[in-house]
Amino acid sequence: MQKLSEASKPAPPPTTAQLQSGFLESAKLAIESLILPPPARLVSYAASTSPVIPLKMQISYLSERDIDRDGQAVPIEEIRRQLDYQTAEVTFNRIAPILATVTFELNEAQIPFDQSQILARIGRVMQQNPTLQIELQSGQTPSEIGTLAQDRSLAIQNYLQTQWQIQPVGSGTQNERRYLVKTELATTPTVRLRTTIESLQNASTTDPIDAGETNIK
């Protein structure tokens, strides 16, 4: 019997690893084009399979309020269409933004002990959600001299890096900054913090403080 030529041999079936890789790439493309109803902003997603539920996807988003059932319908349909999987189970997980204020002593940049719980809460949430960023509006009063506003923001960043391993730059493909810092003159020596996934307008770790103008937002 004549042996089949190499060209006529059927291609080997894809391996499990190849199938998983193809699925993950399809899921990534579907999520990248996903539009959530405002004010919700996409944070991350997780996909899983099991004998009971062939495909399950959880969408995590940052918002002050839940996406209602009607608001979920369109993105669910879009995900199923792009994945060509009409029975995919899609769920939503809301992450509430954290707003907090760390108050310093006058002329000091050391984080007071009683303020560490605030930062621990933020560090825990950011560690669990690697794409989240944190805005720091760092204040310095007109009577204080030097670079206390910058020093205070650096003290908070150092705490989050050492205690919660929140590095300045993310590990994702875009390597986004995780700290968005702006300094300002303020009536009290405080740093206002907010978890976000949007860039702080005109953010800079080296913004000078204009001693002739008070910027309270």
Side-chain angles (χ1 to χ4, degrees), residues 108-184:
E108 294 289 341
Q110 184 175 352
I111 300 171
F113 178 77
D114 60 356
Q115 304 286 288
S116 60
Q117 288 186 345
I118 296 173
L119 296 177
R121 180 185 172 207
I122 290 176
R124 187 178 300 108
V125 171
M126 291 190 68
Q127 191 179 71
Q128 294 169 349
N129 300 278
T131 59
L132 277 183
Q133 297 168 297
I134 181 169
E135 291 181 358
L136 297 93
Q137 294 273 7
S138 187
Q140 179 171 334
T141 68
S143 65
E144 295 177 308
I145 61 174
T147 59
L148 283 171
Q150 290 93 331
D151 296 342
R152 286 163 179 158
S153 69
L154 286 173
I156 290 175
Q157 292 177 67
N158 289 336
Y159 174 89
L160 292 173
Q161 288 179 53
T162 56
Q163 299 297 319
W164 295 95
Q165 293 73 55
I166 310 300
Q167 301 305 317
V169 178
S171 58
T173 55
Q174 296 182 349
N175 289 330
E176 294 180 343
R177 289 184 301 160
R178 301 206 69 189
Y179 298 99
L180 308 173
V181 182
K182 191 172 183 66
T183 58
E184 61 183 3

Side-chain angles (χ1 to χ4, degrees), residues 15 47 53 56 61 63-64 71 74 81 85 113 130 139 144 146 149 151 158 162 179 217:
T15 65
I53 304 176
K56 182 177 181 180
Y61 64 96
S63 180
E64 296 175 355
V74 173
R81 183 188 67 79
Y85 208 124
F113 178 77
E144 295 177 308
D151 296 342
N158 289 336
T162 56
Y179 298 99
K217 297 183 179 180

Side-chain angles (χ1 to χ4, degrees), residues 11-210:
T15 65
T16 301
Q18 289 172 331
L19 291 173
Q20 290 178 338
S21 177
F23 165 73
L24 291 175
E25 181 62 25
S26 297
K28 179 176 179 290
L29 293 174
I31 295 301
E32 285 179 347
S33 62
L34 189 65
I35 299 177
L36 298 177
R41 300 300 300 269
L42 178 68
V43 173
S44 63
Y45 73 95
S48 62
T49 61
S50 72
V52 178
I53 304 176
L55 174 58
K56 182 177 181 180
M57 184 173 292
Q58 184 181 72
I59 308 297
S60 294
Y61 64 96
L62 188 72
S63 180
E64 296 175 355
R65 60 177 183 267
D66 292 330
I67 301 176
D68 60 25
R69 187 178 298 274
D70 291 339
Q72 293 179 14
V74 173
I76 288 176
E77 182 58 31
E78 181 63 17
I79 290 173
R80 288 172 174 171
R81 183 188 67 79
Q82 292 205 38
L83 294 178
D84 192 22
Y85 208 124
Q86 292 304 308
T87 59
E89 180 179 317
V90 182
T91 59
F92 291 83
N93 172 48
R94 183 174 72 90
I95 301 172
I98 297 178
L99 302 174
T101 299
V102 175
T103 302
F104 290 80
E105 298 291 338
L106 278 173
N107 301 308
E108 294 289 341
Q110 184 175 352
I111 300 171
F113 178 77
D114 60 356
Q115 304 286 288
S116 60
Q117 288 186 345
I118 296 173
L119 296 177
R121 180 185 172 207
I122 290 176
R124 187 178 300 108
V125 171
M126 291 190 68
Q127 191 179 71
Q128 294 169 349
N129 300 278
T131 59
L132 277 183
Q133 297 168 297
I134 181 169
E135 291 181 358
L136 297 93
Q137 294 273 7
S138 187
Q140 179 171 334
T141 68
S143 65
E144 295 177 308
I145 61 174
T147 59
L148 283 171
Q150 290 93 331
D151 296 342
R152 286 163 179 158
S153 69
L154 286 173
I156 290 175
Q157 292 177 67
N158 289 336
Y159 174 89
L160 292 173
Q161 288 179 53
T162 56
Q163 299 297 319
W164 295 95
Q165 293 73 55
I166 310 300
Q167 301 305 317
V169 178
S171 58
T173 55
Q174 296 182 349
N175 289 330
E176 294 180 343
R177 289 184 301 160
R178 301 206 69 189
Y179 298 99
L180 308 173
V181 182
K182 191 172 183 66
T183 58
E184 61 183 3
L185 278 177
T187 56
T188 55
T190 59
V191 177
R192 289 176 291 163
L193 307 151
R194 180 170 78 100
T195 52
T196 183
I197 52 173
E198 300 176 15
S199 295
L200 181 67
Q201 290 185 351
N202 302 320
S204 172
T205 56
T206 58
D207 280 354
I209 295 180
D210 184 352

